[in-house]
Amino acid sequence: MALETLRLILKYSPQILSFALQLITQRIRAIIHNKTYISTENPKHVLIIGGSFAGIQLAKRLAETLPTGYKVILIEKNSHFNYTFNFPRYSVVRGRQERAFIPYDGLGRGNPVGVFEQIRGTVVKIREDEVVLEDRRIIGYEFLAVATGVTQAPPAKLLACEKTGACGELKALQDRIFESNTIAIVGAGAVGVQLACDIKTFYPDKVVTLIHSRKKLLTSFGRKLHDYVFGKLGELGIEVLLGERPSLTANGDWKAEDLTFQNGSKRLFDLIIPCTGQSPNSSLLASFSPSSISFENGQILVKPTLQIITDSKLDSESCLTNIFALGDVADTGGAKMARAGMMQAQVVCSNIIASISGGKMKAYNPSPLEGSLKLSLGKDNGVGYLQDSDGTEILVPLKGGKVDFEVGNAWWHLGAKYDEKNF
């Protein structure tokens, strides 16, 4: 393990150092920008649709970079930023769910007056130079970035847009887990694995079964991670059923249910939690530019510059020059993880500035570092994992951290004050 860690450091330290220097440079430029940006009466709008990880990173970067005469507007339907990393943990541990919902009102703190605005709302239509909100408001744009992410079933993502309702969803699942003796989790991606481990380590007497349709856990990652996690699940006493795809009733109310397996047998579980699948939120382009949506995966087709392609040929030069897509909704070739979306935000920001100033556009080049994983395996253990571009897998066992992980850092990143006394 020590050799793998050393190899990781040696190979990727130049990239890490380059990124650190980039952050320092950005900070210096932000200070200068704060003193030179002048608020104007009718600035041109750079709109961002979606305020999750990719969207807020782009908003932050643009707010400290856009020249006088431009402003960034972030449009987001949720009342609070959803820190989805902690949703599995807060589905199990009671009384801590409010920490996962971070107010947006600190996001523009420290930026020049007039450069940033956040609008609560849902965009229902994109037009050539404007968007239409559900409440019929119309907002024009000079540049547009689509960072609408994906839809997943609770608890990976929640249905409510208000903090109170979202907390209620997590509390309802906490209660059902507490009441149930036999629990099935269907889907062994990162959310399913973490949820199974959390239930078993916080409630050791419960019978937990993890069911997966494939023959390998954590399908998007390599065999070494599967082997390690499979062993840890066994140590915890979690039953793992691979190659099973039981049909689920979409009742959404966490009721007891029978599951039917391939051999025809049935088992009744007190609680079944689906952790399967995700759908890109790309439907906004369905009427505006339907050929920009991939037939294969439903994601938005983009050039390496992350400008949206206007037909189904991936090598097409035809694109919407002032409209970008980033994060999980975009077909970038990069990892579908928050880190990748935040790196894509850097590229989109740079290319918007280049478009304004007549500079050279940058291409997004995915790095294996963006797909690195830090996975909790219950309250006492975890694992760090990276799959190199040559297929080599680097795996580092970790000790369990705080119950709330590093949620305080997320609050700081959004300019919000995190104080345990407030919860």
Side-chain angles (χ1 to χ4, degrees):
M1 297 300 179
L3 289 175
E4 289 182 339
T5 304
L6 179 61
R7 179 181 177 278
L8 172 66
I9 293 171
L10 291 176
K11 180 162 186 177
Y12 290 103
S13 57
Q15 288 187 35
I16 296 170
L17 179 60
S18 174
F19 183 66
L21 291 174
Q22 182 182 352
L23 290 178
I24 294 171
T25 302
Q26 287 173 8
R27 190 66 253 150
I28 294 171
R29 289 177 176 171
I31 293 171
I32 297 172
H33 178 263
N34 197 35
K35 297 181 181 299
T36 57
Y37 180 89
I38 300 172
S39 179
T40 57
E41 188 172 344
N42 295 301
K44 296 176 180 178
H45 295 163
V46 180
L47 296 189
I48 303 169
I49 305 175
S52 192
F53 293 95
I56 63 164
Q57 181 66 14
L58 179 57
K60 285 168 64 68
R61 289 289 294 113
L62 287 169
E64 60 188 26
T65 311
L66 282 174
T68 293
Y70 290 83
K71 71 180 289 187
V72 56
I73 299 177
L74 176 66
I75 304 175
E76 167 57 42
K77 65 180 181 179
N78 288 324
S79 66
H80 290 67
F81 177 82
N82 285 209
Y83 192 62
T84 52
F85 288 140
N86 282 23
F87 282 1
R89 174 62 54 91
Y90 293 155
S91 298
V92 179
V93 180
R94 288 175 150 183
R96 310 185 79 86
Q97 61 278 348
E98 290 195 9
R99 293 163 173 79
F101 302 97
I102 307 172
Y104 281 107
D105 54 14
L107 192 55
R109 189 167 294 150
N111 294 129
V113 174
V115 75
F116 174 78
E117 180 182 358
Q118 192 224 331
I119 292 177
R120 173 91 188 275
T122 301
V123 176
V124 294
K125 185 175 291 186
I126 295 175
R127 294 174 179 161
E128 187 173 347
D129 55 3
E130 63 187 17
V131 300
V132 181
L133 273 61
E134 192 173 44
D135 60 7
R136 299 185 180 181
R137 281 181 291 175
I138 296 175
I139 304 172
Y141 65 83
E142 188 80 6
F143 296 94
L144 176 67
V146 180
T148 45
V150 296
T151 297
Q152 291 176 272
K157 297 198 174 179
L158 303 175
L159 303 176
C161 295
E162 295 287 345
K163 175 183 174 180
T164 301
C167 284
E169 289 182 54
L170 290 176
K171 286 192 284 188
L173 185 50
Q174 292 166 16
D175 291 343
R176 288 294 293 121
I177 288 172
F178 180 78
E179 297 162 356
S180 301
N181 292 317
T182 57
I183 301 172
I185 298 166
V186 182
V191 173
V193 167
Q194 182 177 333
L195 190 58
C197 292
D198 278 352
I199 293 172
K200 193 63 178 177
T201 54
F202 284 96
Y203 297 108
D205 294 334
K206 296 189 184 297
V207 178
V208 180
T209 301
L210 181 61
I211 304 166
H212 196 49
S213 61
R214 307 289 185 88
K215 293 294 185 180
K216 183 167 72 70
L217 302 167
L218 299 154
T219 311
S220 300
F221 303 93
R223 188 76 197 184
K224 179 178 280 192
L225 184 62
H226 161 86
D227 292 341
Y228 183 82
V229 172
F230 189 85
K232 288 295 181 183
L233 293 170
E235 291 175 12
L236 290 173
I238 296 171
E239 179 186 20
V240 180
L241 301 178
L242 299 178
E244 291 282 358
R245 194 189 294 269
S247 59
L248 298 172
T249 303
N251 51 39
D253 52 9
W254 314 117
K255 288 184 178 179
E257 187 178 347
D258 279 316
L259 287 183
T260 303
F261 295 94
Q262 285 185 348
N263 62 5
S265 65
K266 289 187 177 182
R267 286 173 60 180
L268 175 64
F269 292 92
D270 297 332
L271 172 63
I272 299 171
I273 307 174
C275 293
T276 57
Q278 54 180 237
S279 302
N281 293 322
S282 56
S283 60
L284 273 176
L285 286 172
S287 59
F288 176 64
S289 181
S291 60
S292 298
I293 302 174
S294 169
F295 289 110
E296 295 181 0
N297 54 33
Q299 296 170 8
I300 298 173
L301 300 171
V302 292
K303 293 179 65 177
T305 56
L306 302 183
Q307 293 164 301
I308 293 178
I309 291 173
T310 54
D311 63 45
S312 58
K313 296 179 181 178
L314 290 175
D315 60 348
S316 173
E317 290 300 316
S318 178
C319 68
L320 301 168
T321 57
N322 65 332
I323 304 181
F324 300 78
L326 67 159
D328 289 353
V329 74
D331 194 0
T332 62
K336 298 303 178 186
M337 301 179 76
R339 190 179 296 106
M342 294 171 77
M343 295 304 295
Q344 292 159 25
Q346 300 285 109
V347 175
V348 173
C349 177
S350 176
N351 287 342
I352 288 175
I353 299 301
S355 297
I356 293 171
S357 64
K360 184 178 179 181
M361 305 282 277
K362 289 185 177 180
Y364 168 63
N365 296 304
S367 165
L369 284 174
E370 296 173 17
S372 60
L373 178 69
K374 183 180 179 182
L375 181 67
S376 167
L377 298 173
K379 63 182 179 181
D380 300 318
N381 291 288
V383 62
Y385 175 85
L386 183 146
Q387 188 165 23
D388 203 357
S389 53
D390 63 5
T392 302
E393 298 177 73
I394 301 168
L395 186 148
V396 182
L398 303 172
K399 293 294 183 183
K402 300 175 182 177
V403 173
D404 299 296
F405 303 122
E406 302 300 329
V407 71
N409 292 340
W411 281 67
W412 173 83
H413 186 65
L414 269 78
K417 185 179 180 181
Y418 180 76
D419 190 343
E420 284 284 347
K421 298 176 183 177
N422 294 333
F423 300 108

